[in-house]
Amino acid sequence: MRNVFDFLFLLRAISATTPPTPIKMRSLQSNRAKFSTLNQIFSHVSFDLPDPPTISQSGLDLTITELSCQDLVVEDISLDHKFVSDTSQLLDIDISGLQVSCDFRWEYRWTIFNGRGDGKATLDRASSAGITLDFHSADYDILPPKHVTIPNDKCTSNIQIDNLDFDGDGLGIIAGIINLFENLIKRVVEGELGKLVCEELADLGDDELDNILAMISDEIEVYLQPLPDDFSNPLYQETNILNDISDEKGALVNFQEIETLAGEWIQKALEQLDSLLGSGTSSNNGQNDLGINELIRSSLLDDQGEFSIDPSLISGFFSDENSNNIIFEGHDKLTETTMSLVSIRVQGLDTFKELDLLNVVGNYTVRNLLKMERLTFFIELEATMMASSLSSSFIDASNAKPITEVFTIAFTANDIEIDFTILLALNEMTLGTIQLGSML
């Protein structure tokens, strides 16, 4: 997204100093200290605003030029989510504690008098702004949002100048109308800043966000369609494929008649497998546990009970040539930002609570049912943000250094159930050559 407020939400996550807890949240709030990273960037950034038109009041014409603002500070951002209907959900974004210092050139003309000079304005920390985004879905029960709008195209801004200083020639002559002069300057500066804030907030609902939502929706909708027969019918492969295999490789083992073919040793092998993976054992905390959990802890998990995934396996989905595990790159008139995967960790692989394996449902097909208590994913990301280097950038940040932050996103899936079938095409002659000693 092409505006500064996109990265307020990014840095809302970056600024967290405690490990994330997977909780259901409907409102998020922060404070000035937690936006120190963002404010550190803005401390080196100067925003050049376009010259506003000349305004007139009571015979006084006032022109403001070279309006430039710096030292932007954001104290708080609140996000409030509202479910409106099956097709609409609202996200209210409110930014409070806006503070900034602005320099400008002023010039006035009043009857036969005129003057010009420099001015400086600072915002009151009571300044704020807000906007509402409406996320639309065809049906939230089954489909994600695909489009976002701004209801009534309205943005609320409350920009208040706390202090105004100006100097130059001709001030003494208009001392009698100094209040009028000052109020006009306040009106112009407050109006231009309010316009800038609303334009940036409005960009949250621009076409690029629609494109992102559409891309995510398209990826998800693939999995929301009715399953084709080759997935929904557990015997599809057996019915449609195995005849050709049998003709080429010889007779296959029919699991419906396995005891006739192999005697009791198959049943014993299954009992051994169940004893290894499914039978209850006493865990460290004295509670009954499944053997598969103990096996996973001893062979796959580290001392923290976590399994690490190579980030390159995920970042490869974002780019074919991705040596730095980058998943996001953005460069607009305000900032240049990259985000990359640092690590991916999974907890809960040792929380199996039920195993029901190798149940024969066809001549060559077995069904398996797995149930887990939970899976928690920890995705560690590194974000690097620097001032824009585009020639069209409207900020001056030659002294700004890149800011790098590492933060973690955590989410948990509870009560997981996996039901799947396996097609086992075993040649009868091959089965007869299997050495049984190691199996039993």
Side-chain angles (χ1 to χ4, degrees):
M1 286 162 272
R2 302 185 299 275
N3 50 75
V4 65
F5 295 103
D6 302 335
F7 300 102
L8 299 185
F9 306 116
L10 166 63
L11 290 169
R12 171 65 181 87
I14 292 175
S15 61
T17 57
T18 57
T21 302
I23 59 176
K24 188 176 181 181
M25 179 96 44
R26 280 295 174 267
S27 180
L28 299 177
Q29 288 192 340
S30 183
N31 54 46
R32 178 172 180 172
K34 288 192 175 183
F35 285 100
S36 58
T37 300
L38 181 65
N39 294 330
Q40 182 181 351
I41 295 176
F42 287 150
S43 66
H44 301 283
V45 171
S46 175
F47 300 87
D48 297 323
L49 281 69
D51 292 341
T54 298
I55 62 173
S56 301
Q57 184 174 329
S58 301
L60 176 65
D61 298 328
L62 178 67
T63 302
I64 298 292
T65 59
E66 301 178 28
L67 180 58
S68 177
C69 299
Q70 55 280 327
D71 299 327
L72 175 62
V73 172
V74 174
E75 288 191 356
D76 196 15
I77 296 176
S78 64
L79 307 178
D80 188 53
H81 169 258
K82 300 176 183 177
F83 185 86
V84 178
S85 67
D86 291 338
T87 60
S88 173
Q89 298 193 43
L90 299 180
L91 179 65
D92 293 327
I93 305 170
D94 292 299
I95 302 173
S96 60
L98 284 173
Q99 300 176 57
V100 70
S101 298
C102 297
D103 298 307
F104 54 89
R105 290 282 298 170
W106 58 267
E107 182 176 354
Y108 83 93
R109 183 174 300 277
W110 179 59
T111 62
I112 63 173
F113 307 106
N114 62 79
R116 63 184 57 83
D118 300 316
K120 186 178 184 65
T122 56
L123 288 192
D124 191 302
R125 61 183 301 174
S127 297
S128 61
I131 201 168
T132 298
L133 301 180
D134 192 350
F135 290 83
H136 302 273
S137 168
D139 185 350
Y140 269 114
D141 286 338
I142 58 174
L143 296 171
K146 206 168 186 177
H147 179 54
V148 61
T149 61
I150 302 173
N152 302 320
D153 293 325
K154 286 186 178 181
C155 166
T156 59
S157 62
N158 178 28
I159 305 300
Q160 302 178 25
I161 291 180
D162 176 52
N163 187 50
L164 184 62
D165 296 316
F166 44 89
D167 55 45
D169 61 287
L171 287 177
I173 297 176
I174 62 167
I177 57 168
I178 191 67
N179 289 333
L180 176 60
F181 185 81
E182 183 173 335
N183 289 335
L184 283 177
I185 292 181
K186 281 186 176 182
R187 187 197 308 173
V188 173
V189 176
E190 289 174 350
E192 291 302 311
L193 288 176
K195 185 189 303 182
L196 173 65
V197 170
C198 281
E199 286 176 353
E200 296 299 327
L201 284 174
D203 278 349
L204 289 171
D206 65 7
D207 292 339
E208 187 168 340
L209 180 56
D210 275 352
N211 293 337
I212 293 174
L213 290 176
M215 179 188 69
I216 296 174
S217 178
D218 291 343
E219 293 293 330
I220 294 176
E221 284 182 8
V222 174
Y223 302 97
L224 299 177
Q225 304 301 320
L227 289 174
D229 192 50
D230 55 338
F231 281 95
S232 60
N233 181 3
L235 299 180
Y236 178 85
Q237 302 294 338
E238 177 177 311
T239 304
N240 293 276
I241 295 178
L242 281 192
N243 288 335
D244 295 336
I245 298 179
S246 179
D247 292 342
E248 294 179 5
K249 303 295 183 180
L252 300 176
V253 175
N254 186 336
F255 291 104
Q256 304 277 12
E257 304 172 353
I258 191 65
E259 291 187 2
T260 302
L261 175 66
E264 296 182 356
W265 75 266
I266 290 291
Q267 183 62 33
K268 290 182 178 180
L270 293 176
E271 290 175 356
Q272 290 290 326
L273 180 64
D274 181 67
S275 176
L276 175 64
L277 301 179
S279 295
T281 62
S282 180
S283 61
N284 294 334
N285 58 15
Q287 296 181 349
N288 205 36
D289 202 358
L290 296 182
I292 188 174
N293 293 331
E294 294 293 337
L295 179 63
I296 290 174
R297 291 186 194 111
S298 61
S299 58
L300 294 179
L301 306 185
D302 59 21
D303 294 339
Q304 285 72 45
E306 297 177 346
F307 177 74
S308 297
I309 300 175
D310 185 352
S312 63
L313 297 177
I314 305 300
S315 61
F317 288 102
F318 295 87
S319 174
D320 295 334
E321 299 179 1
N322 198 345
S323 59
N324 296 319
N325 296 326
I326 294 175
I327 61 172
F328 172 81
E329 291 181 285
H331 197 180
D332 53 39
K333 294 182 179 182
L334 285 168
T335 56
E336 181 178 0
T337 303
T338 60
M339 190 182 300
S340 58
L341 284 170
V342 177
S343 66
I344 303 173
R345 309 186 314 278
V346 183
Q347 281 185 356
L349 289 173
D350 56 346
T351 64
F352 283 95
K353 57 183 181 181
E354 183 178 336
L355 291 180
D356 191 10
L357 304 176
L358 302 179
N359 295 289
V360 176
V361 295
N363 292 339
Y364 316 104
T365 305
V366 293
R367 180 184 178 185
N368 307 273
L369 177 65
L370 311 176
K371 293 184 179 181
M372 304 180 70
E373 292 181 5
R374 69 184 181 281
L375 278 179
T376 300
F377 295 86
F378 297 92
I379 303 175
E380 189 177 15
L381 299 153
E382 180 181 270
T384 300
M385 185 185 299
M386 64 186 72
S388 173
S389 59
L390 296 176
S391 58
S392 57
S393 173
F394 59 83
I395 66 173
D396 179 12
S398 57
N399 297 323
K401 296 181 179 179
I403 299 295
T404 299
E405 290 285 347
V406 177
F407 61 100
T408 301
I409 298 174
F411 61 92
T412 298
N414 294 311
D415 297 324
I416 302 165
E417 183 174 319
I418 305 171
D419 190 348
F420 64 99
T421 57
I422 299 176
L423 175 69
L424 295 177
L426 300 178
N427 183 272
E428 288 185 359
M429 295 297 295
T430 303
L431 183 64
T433 65
I434 294 178
Q435 298 293 322
L436 303 183
S438 60
M439 295 177 60
L440 302 177

